[in-house]
Amino acid sequence: MRALRSMGPIFLVLAVLLVLIAAANPFFLEPAGFLAFVKRAAPLVILAAGQYFVIVSGEFDLSVGSLVTVQVVVAARLIDGEESATWWVLALLIVIGLLVGLVNGVITTGLRVPSFITTLGMMLVLSGAVFLWTGGAPRGALSETFRMFGRKDLGAVPWSVLILLVMGGAAIMLMRSDFGKRLMATGDNERAAGLSGVRVNRTRILAFVISGLAAAVAGILLGGFAGVSAQVGQGLEFQAITAVVLGGVALGGGRGSVVAAMAGALTLEALFTLLNLYGISGALEYAVQGVIIIAAVAAGAVRLPFKRVARA
Amino acid sequence: MRGIAKSFLGVRVLSGVNLEVAAGEVHAVVGENGAGKSTLMKILAGVHSPDEGSVEIDGVSVSFAHPVEAQRAGVAIIYQEFNLLPERSVAENVFLGREPVRRGLVDRTAMETDTTRLLKELGETSFVSHDLVRHLSIAQQQVVEILKALSQDARIIVMDEPTAALAEHEVELLYRLVARLRERGIAVLYISHRLREVFDLAERVTVLKDGALVRTADTADITSDELVRLMVGRDLGTYFPPRGTETGEVRLSVRGGGNAVLDGIDLQVSEGEILGVAGLQGSGRTELAKAIFGAEPFTRGTMSPLRPRSVRQAVAAGIGLVNEDRKAEGLALRQSVRDNALLVSRSVRRGGRTDIRELLESVRLQPPRPEQEVRYLSGGNQQKVVLAKWITVAPKVLIFDEPTRGVDVGAKAAIHDLMRGLAKDGMAIMMISSELPELIGMSDRIIVMRDGRIAGVLPAGPSEETVMHLAAGEVTP
């Protein structure tokens, strides 16, 4: 009951949007049509799940968009069409993702730099590095095996949908574990958590690492799906944050469910699909996101810091 | 001030209080925590308005809707927490919000000159008007607050526990400062727990207890014994669970423990024992708890089972702390009862699987609903959840800091029972409380803290006067 209540409205909105899409495009009702939609949404849903861990711990991760770009560009350059290179490059990408998350987390907690600044800096560092390395135009090509994850199917189901199910399931399990409970408590009341024996910094660092991992996986899917470009990850960090906020997760931490965050991502993707179907320019996407994020936060998702009342 | 009464949320905190102070007089206001001193002063300063009664200054009745109005009428209040901007200079702080203006610009020269003149008049030479406040010591910052008051032409200055944050030698300086204020014909209301200061500084003293005026007397006509009796004298009408009879082996011992706040701490607590910790605000009670719990660790001395350097070490060694401020430090308010109650065991992976219902019933949470968010619970129930949190890991030593603050009478008795029950089951318990009847009623032994040290150890059932004497520091040995 509590779970339903706390994630309620987003599922209603998602359902309405899906109905509207189906009305405009009956193909959407067929399994293939629907799966194609989920496949397109998968990278964002995975990113949103990763972002959720960071946000619920009371922080932000603005670096995931650039990280996705890095993943794709690095993969193309290192693989350069060579099938045999696929697997070690995939492993390398995962390591890069984990490492970027680790650095974000260590700087934020260890040096007490606000995560907004840490990850903004990381975003710029990564963008700059990509630009420097590629000179503006990415070189090389991905291998077929690499592209399989983003665009091919296993039987009737796209690989990316399977990967999404695994990642989503893992996220849900993680939030139900002791780690998830400690993370929630940390985001809700850091002091109380620390005084209950929670390793607050380590918990937060792990959240950033999870977000980095999510970005790595999203990058792998997007590389196959969208191809190689230096713009592939652009704006994804804000889409992911919008999705999480849309799912009713409070900025500031300690509140909201990962399922709702992922539903928020699906909702956002559905909205873009709908705008597309009605021939509204893709350029409007940013404006729509802007409105959503302000409206969702204004609608009371933000938790005001407790005012400490002076004792008489 | 005549016939002042004030209630907050239907709770009467002041009734029929009269207080007068003459120009050039230092008038001390004393009373236990919660006696209503601060509220009375806030009424004078226009922070609260009285429900009944009147305030007159120089024979003219005034009523302040806002602190600024009180300021204009010549009332200044110096709180324990200063209102200063650390990154601005002394002069800028003194004139904050009232900067002298010349041709549309702030007249810095005038600010500096005026501040320098005031500093000279007070005989303060340890800092100058353009020093940044953050470079000043606490005592010097206090002087800046006084400068601020003087530059506003304050004729009544309220000082709220001015020595609480000062070192011993700084107190002497404050005495001289107060003497200067008196020479200038300023009326000083001096709030303090410390009886020595009352007798050193004040001509008259007013005693408040439970929101009512007990007596106003010339300090020459009253002894410190009488004063203590006036402050605490009341009936011990409440019931406490019977004391334990057996204490076992020592579970916690500290030898020569110290850190920035504490010094020379020697104590031990045995299984089955409740050790009470008394002391005034700022005496180091809470710091003692936090040191033992590893949150603000000891840096000197020895402790067994170990001297923890972190909370986790302390928890691993079987030490728990029920915090003074449960909302800020005890609970994640938006999480469920279950998630709060299990937080400690989930952090240290001890205690294995817990039957949540059994746990909640053992702390008598009513109703025992594990899915409810704790912010919706009453104070008493919240405290029981905090208690449950520690019970899951079965600590050997459990420290309670103000366990019944903000808790209703029924829950209070339940918490007292639970504490005694835990002691009977072999836990060693330390209990900090500023409510003397509670402390005396519950404790098998009491240590009294003063200025970061243990001022004395008392056996079970001392009188409140004895405790207060030790806590406040006697005038005559």
Side-chain angles (χ1 to χ4, degrees):
Chain A
M1 262 316 282
R2 197 172 75 97
L4 261 185
R5 225 185 324 135
S6 69
M7 52 175 93
I10 188 63
F11 292 97
L12 193 68
V13 176
L14 179 58
V16 169
L17 286 175
L18 294 180
V19 168
L20 288 176
I21 295 173
N25 178 11
F27 172 64
F28 191 73
L29 288 174
E30 291 172 31
F34 185 72
L35 284 175
F37 165 76
V38 178
K39 175 174 158 184
R40 194 164 60 244
L44 183 59
V45 178
I46 291 170
L47 277 178
Q51 187 74 241
Y52 165 85
F53 283 87
V54 177
I55 287 183
V56 95
S57 83
E59 307 287 342
F60 280 103
D61 189 352
L62 295 177
S63 67
V64 291
S66 300
L67 185 51
V68 165
T69 308
V70 165
Q71 303 282 341
V72 174
V73 171
V74 166
R77 176 102 171 228
L78 292 181
I79 294 175
D80 203 10
E82 187 70 43
E83 282 300 329
S84 61
T86 307
W87 292 104
W88 72 261
V89 169
L90 278 174
L92 178 70
L93 295 185
I94 299 289
V95 171
I96 291 175
L98 296 173
L99 215 60
V100 168
L102 184 68
V103 171
N104 281 336
V106 168
I107 291 177
T108 299
T109 59
L111 303 181
R112 295 178 188 275
V113 179
S115 59
F116 186 83
I117 298 300
T118 310
T119 59
L120 184 69
M122 181 59 81
M123 168 173 131
L124 296 173
V125 167
L126 293 176
S127 307
V130 165
F131 196 78
L132 186 71
W133 205 43
T134 59
R139 274 173 290 158
L142 298 171
S143 64
E144 265 316 301
T145 320
F146 190 100
R147 288 151 60 94
M148 171 184 86
F149 296 111
R151 61 172 56 184
K152 295 286 165 46
D153 302 344
L154 179 71
V157 186
W159 272 102
S160 54
V161 174
L162 292 172
I163 292 171
L164 170 62
L165 287 176
V166 171
M167 296 286 288
I172 293 169
M173 293 313 291
L174 215 48
M175 281 316 291
R176 288 191 180 170
S177 72
D178 286 0
F179 163 73
K181 305 297 180 190
R182 291 197 297 264
L183 187 71
M184 276 294 217
T186 301
D188 191 351
N189 187 345
E190 173 175 356
R191 269 188 76 69
L195 290 172
S196 299
V198 176
R199 290 186 179 99
V200 171
N201 284 356
R202 197 182 290 194
T203 306
R204 282 220 170 99
I205 290 171
L206 208 49
F208 279 103
V209 169
I210 291 169
S211 179
L213 174 66
V217 174
I220 293 166
L221 297 188
L222 271 173
F225 184 78
V228 181
S229 86
Q231 284 80 43
V232 58
Q234 212 170 45
L236 277 182
E237 62 284 333
F238 287 111
Q239 285 190 22
I241 292 172
T242 310
V244 172
V245 170
L246 192 56
V249 178
L251 297 180
R255 225 183 162 193
S257 83
V258 68
V259 180
M262 293 191 284
L266 278 175
T267 306
L268 199 58
E269 196 65 43
L271 195 63
F272 293 155
T273 306
L274 201 64
L275 291 176
N276 207 9
L277 275 175
Y278 284 95
I280 298 168
S281 161
L284 211 60
E285 282 185 7
Y286 278 113
V288 170
Q289 270 183 62
V291 172
I292 289 176
I293 202 159
I294 293 172
V297 171
V302 150
R303 182 176 52 129
L304 294 170
F306 286 100
K307 285 188 188 141
R308 290 208 50 186
V309 183
R311 262 183 241 112
Chain B
M1 303 179 82
R2 240 190 285 282
I4 301 292
K6 177 76 185 171
S7 304
F8 290 116
L9 304 168
V11 178
R12 210 166 175 85
V13 292
L14 283 178
S15 59
V17 174
N18 301 312
L19 181 66
E20 59 169 49
V21 53
E25 181 195 14
V26 177
H27 192 131
V29 181
V30 299
E32 286 186 295
N33 299 332
K37 295 169 304 208
S38 297
T39 310
L40 185 64
M41 293 306 124
K42 282 181 178 163
I43 286 171
L44 178 59
V47 178
H48 301 310
S49 44
D51 298 340
E52 288 167 30
S54 63
V55 180
E56 284 176 20
I57 295 179
D58 295 338
V60 182
S61 175
V62 290
S63 86
F64 306 128
H66 193 271
V68 173
E69 292 177 15
Q71 233 176 57
R72 291 212 183 98
V75 180
I77 184 161
I78 297 169
Y79 294 99
Q80 291 177 51
E81 305 281 326
F82 302 142
N83 289 310
L84 298 173
L85 305 180
E87 297 294 337
R88 305 256 67 97
S89 75
V90 171
E92 284 171 311
N93 269 287
V94 168
F95 284 95
L96 187 69
R98 305 172 295 114
E99 291 83 355
V101 175
R102 199 162 141 249
R103 276 183 257 139
L105 297 172
V106 172
D107 189 349
R108 286 178 169 275
T109 324
M111 271 166 56
E112 299 275 345
T113 328
D114 277 9
T115 309
T116 309
R117 180 177 54 77
L118 285 170
L119 277 169
K120 202 183 245 170
E121 286 173 19
L122 285 180
E124 176 64 60
T125 51
S126 67
F127 63 94
V128 294
S129 63
H130 60 258
D131 284 340
L132 290 189
V133 163
R134 81 181 147 89
H135 292 142
L136 304 183
S137 69
I138 298 289
Q140 290 171 325
Q141 293 186 17
Q142 198 168 46
V143 175
V144 178
E145 285 281 5
I146 293 172
L147 289 176
K148 219 159 100 175
L150 291 179
S151 84
Q152 291 163 8
D153 294 322
R155 284 164 302 148
I156 304 169
I157 296 184
V158 180
M159 304 177 93
D160 190 2
E161 302 260 353
T163 55
L166 297 186
E168 198 62 39
H169 66 277
E170 293 170 329
V171 173
E172 291 298 319
L173 297 173
L174 181 77
Y175 278 16
R176 255 184 280 159
L177 221 54
V178 172
R180 296 261 178 164
L181 294 178
R182 185 187 319 182
E183 284 162 25
R184 291 173 72 109
I186 288 169
V188 177
L189 277 166
Y190 192 95
I191 302 177
S192 184
H193 286 303
R194 304 188 186 185
L195 299 188
R196 188 162 61 91
E197 292 166 17
V198 171
F199 285 97
D200 284 354
L201 281 174
E203 282 92 44
R204 283 192 294 171
V205 55
T206 289
V207 183
L208 293 182
K209 185 165 78 74
D210 302 329
L213 177 89
V214 181
R215 189 172 149 194
T216 297
D218 287 350
T219 46
D221 299 344
I222 193 168
T223 66
S224 68
D225 284 349
E226 283 176 272
L227 204 51
V228 167
R229 209 169 311 128
L230 291 176
M231 281 162 70
V232 299
R234 70 185 145 196
D235 300 332
L236 272 176
T238 352
Y239 166 80
F240 292 97
R243 290 201 171 79
T245 46
E246 286 173 38
T247 57
E249 61 187 271
V250 174
R251 283 296 174 82
L252 171 79
S253 80
V254 180
R255 287 276 162 269
N259 57 24
V261 187
L262 304 169
D263 194 34
I265 300 294
D266 288 318
L267 63 84
Q268 50 184 20
V269 201
S270 307
E271 61 177 273
E273 182 185 32
I274 296 182
L275 175 68
V277 182
L280 302 172
Q281 269 177 38
S283 62
R285 297 175 309 194
T286 295
E287 288 77 5
L288 175 62
K290 292 200 161 162
I292 295 171
F293 184 56
E296 289 161 17
F298 284 124
T299 50
R300 303 187 291 277
T302 57
M303 184 172 147
S304 94
L306 89 171
R307 197 179 90 195
R309 272 165 292 136
S310 70
V311 169
R312 284 184 65 85
Q313 281 187 351
V315 175
I319 302 170
L321 171 64
V322 174
N323 290 103
E324 176 181 22
D325 186 342
R326 63 181 160 267
K327 286 187 181 169
E329 305 194 316
L331 295 165
L333 289 171
R334 298 201 177 248
Q335 312 305 314
S336 67
V337 167
R338 177 204 306 271
D339 289 346
N340 272 285
L342 298 180
L343 188 57
V344 176
S345 70
R346 278 169 173 158
S347 310
V348 297
R349 298 184 190 279
R350 276 240 309 248
R353 285 292 131 203
T354 312
D355 184 330
I356 185 76
R357 293 211 162 260
E358 219 169 83
L359 176 65
L360 298 182
E361 268 158 35
S362 75
V363 296
R364 293 181 230 162
L365 188 73
Q366 284 302 330
R369 283 159 51 189
E371 304 309 329
Q372 188 160 34
E373 283 183 36
V374 292
R375 65 183 158 134
Y376 297 122
L377 301 181
S378 68
N381 271 338
Q382 287 184 342
Q383 194 67 311
K384 290 173 187 172
V385 174
V386 177
L387 190 51
K389 193 168 89 164
W390 290 108
I391 289 178
T392 55
V393 291
K396 296 191 181 73
V397 181
L398 190 51
I399 309 170
F400 291 80
D401 194 354
E402 303 285 358
T404 59
R405 173 175 288 169
V407 161
D408 63 275
V409 181
K412 215 170 194 170
I415 288 168
H416 289 155
D417 264 359
L418 285 166
M419 289 173 70
R420 186 47 81 182
L422 291 172
K424 279 216 173 92
D425 292 346
M427 216 180 262
I429 287 179
M430 275 177 76
M431 170 188 191
I432 298 170
S433 176
S434 45
E435 255 187 71
L436 286 180
E438 172 180 75
L439 200 69
I440 293 166
M442 289 294 295
S443 307
D444 299 318
R445 255 182 333 135
I446 294 177
I447 59 174
V448 183
M449 297 288 296
R450 188 175 72 225
D451 296 333
R453 294 169 157 276
I454 294 177
V457 185
L458 302 169
S463 70
E464 293 191 32
E465 283 83 353
T466 316
V467 178
M468 276 304 280
H469 266 305
L470 272 173
E474 286 170 279
V475 181
T476 46

